[in-house]
Coordinates of all heavy atoms in Angstrom, one line a residue:
A202 N -4.1 2.0 -26.2 CA -4.1 1.1 -27.3 C -3.2 1.7 -28.5 O -2.6 0.8 -29.3 CB -5.5 0.9 -27.8
P203 N -3.4 2.9 -28.9 CA -2.5 3.5 -30.0 C -1.0 3.2 -29.9 O -0.4 2.7 -30.8 CB -2.8 5.0 -30.1 CG -4.2 5.1 -29.6 CD -4.2 4.0 -28.3
V204 N -0.5 3.3 -28.7 CA 1.0 3.1 -28.4 C 1.1 1.6 -28.4 O 2.2 1.0 -28.8 CB 1.4 3.7 -27.1 CG1 2.8 3.4 -26.9 CG2 1.1 5.3 -27.2
L205 N 0.2 0.7 -27.9 CA 0.4 -0.6 -27.9 C 0.5 -1.1 -29.4 O 1.3 -2.1 -29.6 CB -0.8 -1.3 -27.1 CG -0.7 -1.3 -25.6 CD1 -1.9 -1.8 -25.0 CD2 0.4 -2.1 -25.1
V206 N -0.5 -0.7 -30.2 CA -0.3 -1.1 -31.6 C 1.0 -0.7 -32.2 O 1.5 -1.6 -33.0 CB -1.5 -0.6 -32.3 CG1 -1.5 -0.8 -33.9 CG2 -2.9 -1.2 -31.7
F207 N 1.3 0.5 -32.0 CA 2.6 0.9 -32.6 C 3.8 0.1 -32.1 O 4.6 -0.4 -32.8 CB 2.8 2.4 -32.3 CG 4.3 2.8 -32.3 CD1 5.0 3.0 -33.5 CD2 5.1 2.9 -31.1 CE1 6.2 3.3 -33.6 CE2 6.4 3.2 -31.1 CZ 7.1 3.5 -32.3
S208 N 3.8 -0.2 -30.8 CA 4.9 -0.9 -30.3 C 4.9 -2.4 -30.8 O 6.0 -2.9 -31.1 CB 4.8 -1.1 -28.7 OG 5.8 -1.8 -28.1
M209 N 3.7 -3.0 -31.0 CA 3.7 -4.4 -31.4 C 4.3 -4.3 -32.9 O 5.1 -5.2 -33.3 CB 2.3 -4.9 -31.5 CG 2.2 -6.3 -32.1 SD 0.5 -6.8 -32.0 CE -0.2 -5.8 -33.2
I210 N 3.9 -3.4 -33.8 CA 4.4 -3.3 -35.2 C 5.8 -3.0 -35.2 O 6.6 -3.6 -36.0 CB 3.5 -2.3 -36.0 CG1 2.0 -2.7 -36.0 CG2 4.1 -2.1 -37.4 CD1 1.1 -1.7 -36.7
F211 N 6.2 -2.1 -34.4 CA 7.6 -1.7 -34.4 C 8.6 -2.8 -33.9 O 9.6 -3.0 -34.6 CB 7.8 -0.5 -33.5 CG 9.2 0.2 -33.4 CD1 9.5 1.0 -34.5 CD2 10.1 -0.2 -32.5 CE1 10.8 1.6 -34.5 CE2 11.4 0.4 -32.5 CZ 11.8 1.3 -33.5
N212 N 8.1 -3.5 -32.9 CA 8.9 -4.7 -32.4 C 9.0 -5.8 -33.4 O 10.0 -6.5 -33.6 CB 8.3 -5.2 -31.1 CG 8.6 -4.2 -30.0 OD1 9.5 -3.5 -30.1 ND2 7.7 -4.2 -29.0
L213 N 7.9 -6.1 -34.1 CA 7.9 -7.1 -35.2 C 8.9 -6.7 -36.4 O 9.6 -7.5 -36.8 CB 6.5 -7.3 -35.7 CG 5.5 -8.1 -34.7 CD1 4.1 -8.1 -35.4 CD2 6.0 -9.5 -34.6
A214 N 8.8 -5.4 -36.7 CA 9.7 -4.9 -37.8 C 11.1 -5.0 -37.2 O 12.0 -5.4 -38.1 CB 9.4 -3.5 -38.1
S215 N 11.4 -4.6 -36.0 CA 12.8 -4.7 -35.6 C 13.4 -6.1 -35.5 O 14.5 -6.4 -35.8 CB 12.8 -4.1 -34.2 OG 12.4 -2.7 -34.2
G216 N 12.4 -7.0 -35.1 CA 12.9 -8.4 -35.0 C 13.2 -9.0 -36.3 O 14.0 -9.8 -36.6
L217 N 12.3 -8.5 -37.4 CA 12.5 -9.0 -38.7 C 13.8 -8.5 -39.3 O 14.6 -9.2 -40.0 CB 11.4 -8.5 -39.7 CG 11.4 -9.0 -41.1 CD1 11.5 -10.5 -41.3 CD2 10.2 -8.4 -41.8
V218 N 14.2 -7.2 -39.0 CA 15.4 -6.7 -39.6 C 16.6 -7.3 -38.9 O 17.6 -7.6 -39.4 CB 15.4 -5.2 -39.2 CG1 16.8 -4.5 -39.5 CG2 14.4 -4.4 -40.1
G219 N 16.4 -7.7 -37.5 CA 17.4 -8.4 -36.7 C 17.8 -9.8 -37.3 O 18.9 -10.2 -37.3
R220 N 16.6 -10.5 -37.8 CA 16.9 -11.8 -38.3 C 17.5 -11.7 -39.7 O 18.3 -12.6 -40.1 CB 15.5 -12.5 -38.5 CG 14.8 -12.8 -37.1 CD 15.6 -13.9 -36.4 NE 15.4 -15.2 -37.1 CZ 16.0 -16.3 -36.7 NH1 16.7 -16.3 -35.6 NH2 15.8 -17.5 -37.4
V221 N 17.1 -10.6 -40.5 CA 17.7 -10.6 -41.9 C 19.1 -10.2 -41.8 O 20.0 -10.6 -42.6 CB 16.9 -9.6 -42.7 CG1 17.5 -9.4 -44.1 CG2 15.5 -10.2 -42.9
M222 N 19.5 -9.3 -41.0 CA 20.8 -8.7 -40.8 C 21.4 -8.9 -39.4 O 21.3 -8.1 -38.5 CB 20.8 -7.1 -41.1 CG 20.2 -6.8 -42.4 SD 20.0 -5.0 -42.7 CE 21.7 -4.5 -42.5
P223 N 21.8 -10.1 -39.1 CA 22.3 -10.5 -37.8 C 23.5 -9.6 -37.3 O 23.6 -9.5 -36.0 CB 22.7 -12.0 -37.9 CG 22.1 -12.4 -39.2 CD 21.9 -11.3 -40.0
Q224 N 24.3 -9.1 -38.2 CA 25.4 -8.3 -37.7 C 25.1 -6.8 -37.4 O 25.8 -6.1 -36.7 CB 26.5 -8.2 -38.8 CG 27.0 -9.7 -39.2 CD 27.5 -10.4 -38.1 OE1 28.3 -9.9 -37.2 NE2 27.4 -11.8 -38.0
F225 N 23.8 -6.4 -37.7 CA 23.5 -5.1 -37.4 C 23.0 -5.0 -36.0 O 22.2 -5.8 -35.5 CB 22.3 -4.8 -38.3 CG 21.7 -3.3 -38.2 CD1 22.5 -2.2 -38.7 CD2 20.5 -3.0 -37.8 CE1 22.1 -1.0 -38.6 CE2 20.0 -1.8 -37.6 CZ 20.8 -0.7 -38.0
Q226 N 23.5 -3.9 -35.3 CA 23.1 -3.6 -34.0 C 21.8 -3.0 -33.8 O 21.6 -1.8 -33.8 CB 24.2 -2.7 -33.3 CG 25.7 -3.2 -33.3 CD 25.7 -4.3 -32.4 OE1 25.1 -4.5 -31.4 NE2 26.7 -5.3 -32.8
I227 N 20.9 -3.9 -33.9 CA 19.5 -3.4 -34.0 C 19.0 -2.6 -32.7 O 18.1 -1.7 -32.8 CB 18.5 -4.6 -34.2 CG1 17.1 -4.2 -34.6 CG2 18.5 -5.6 -33.1 CD1 17.0 -3.4 -35.9
F228 N 19.5 -3.0 -31.6 CA 19.1 -2.4 -30.3 C 19.4 -0.9 -30.3 O 18.7 -0.1 -29.9 CB 19.6 -3.2 -29.1 CG 19.3 -2.5 -27.8 CD1 18.0 -2.6 -27.3 CD2 20.2 -1.8 -27.1 CE1 17.6 -2.0 -26.1 CE2 19.9 -1.1 -25.9 CZ 18.6 -1.3 -25.4
F229 N 20.7 -0.7 -30.6 CA 21.2 0.8 -30.5 C 20.5 1.6 -31.6 O 20.4 2.9 -31.4 CB 22.7 0.9 -30.7 CG 23.5 0.2 -29.6 CD1 23.9 -1.2 -29.8 CD2 23.6 0.7 -28.4 CE1 24.6 -1.7 -28.7 CE2 24.4 0.1 -27.4 CZ 24.8 -1.1 -27.6

Side-chain angles (χ1 to χ4, degrees):
V204 180
L205 281 173
V206 173
F207 157 77
S208 178
M209 181 180 65
I210 297 174
F211 185 83
N212 289 333
L213 287 175
S215 301
L217 181 61
V218 172
R220 293 290 293 179
V221 174
M222 304 173 60
Q224 303 301 323
F225 183 65
Q226 300 295 329
I227 190 67
F228 176 78
F229 294 100

